[in-house]
Amino acid sequence: MILAPVPLTPDRDIPAPVLTELTALYASNREFHALSGDFPDPDDVRPEQVAAGLADELAHPDAEVLLARAEGRLVGVVVTLGRHPDPADPDPWIGLLMVDVGAQGKGYGRRIAEGVEERFRAAGRDAVRLAVLESNPKGLAFWTALGYEVIGRRPDLERGRPCAVLRKELGKELGTGGAGA
């Protein structure tokens, strides 16, 4: 699997073929969009909506949108934030990790999360945080299975939706060559 920054045109737009792939990935996650309310109609996710959402993310100077590809196909997207807007928060954040529904259950989400953790570890970061909507028990189960611990609860910054805030100490990598890798 390859994890790489989303390509942008000189005008900082997402190229049309990549936007088409991203729109299909977002549209495949109807259940998540229905509970998050991120799109007005989770049954009709449009390229311009995806482009606007990602442009908002990329407007943050420490944000990065990474695409996960396997066998030449887009299987996931992750949005990270190197510095939280709250200066008292020292940790980088994962803002979104989404895997194409057709590719779920194959380990891509875990591999994307591990890739992001390794990027932050290589940058000298000690931990990473994220927020999971309280209405998303599948998301909470995914992150806790990866070693993230709930450290608090608060509304999200954009819409005031109730969230669990999770954190994972990065420390040194324990090794990935075992039988479960």
Side-chain angles (χ1 to χ4, degrees):
M1 187 185 73
I2 298 169
L3 193 61
V6 66
L8 298 174
T9 68
D11 293 332
R12 303 224 7 110
D13 293 325
I14 299 170
V18 176
L19 183 57
T20 298
E21 289 179 297
L22 281 163
T23 302
L25 185 147
Y26 274 66
S28 78
N29 281 273
R30 186 221 174 275
E31 181 180 339
F32 172 74
H33 297 304
L35 68 89
S36 73
D38 289 339
F39 292 94
D41 182 353
D43 292 316
D44 188 23
V45 175
R46 298 175 179 262
E48 58 272 15
Q49 295 168 322
V50 173
L54 292 174
D56 287 347
E57 297 287 357
L58 289 168
H60 296 279
D62 293 316
E64 190 169 34
V65 175
L66 303 170
L67 304 181
R69 292 188 179 280
E71 300 174 14
R73 178 174 166 253
L74 182 67
V75 295
V77 62
V78 62
V79 178
T80 65
L81 190 60
R83 302 236 179 264
H84 192 272
D86 179 353
D89 184 342
D91 297 326
W93 280 68
I94 297 173
L96 172 73
L97 189 155
M98 186 180 305
V99 174
D100 186 285
V101 167
Q104 289 179 4
K106 299 178 181 175
Y108 292 122
R110 176 186 50 78
R111 289 172 43 206
I112 293 167
E114 289 170 351
V116 168
E117 291 166 6
E118 183 52 40
R119 290 169 76 93
F120 285 136
R121 190 179 295 108
R125 306 308 289 272
D126 298 324
V128 63
R129 294 185 194 208
L130 55 92
V132 175
L133 295 171
E134 292 281 0
S135 60
N136 185 2
K138 288 181 185 177
L140 186 60
F142 170 79
W143 290 108
T144 56
L146 294 181
Y148 286 77
E149 297 178 6
V150 176
I151 61 167
R153 289 186 156 56
R154 68 177 186 215
D156 75 351
L157 296 178
E158 287 185 22
R159 298 190 179 173
R161 300 169 291 193
C163 292
V165 177
L166 291 84
R167 183 173 193 263
K168 181 177 181 179
E169 296 276 338
L170 294 177
K172 294 194 186 272
E173 186 61 24
L174 299 175
T176 57

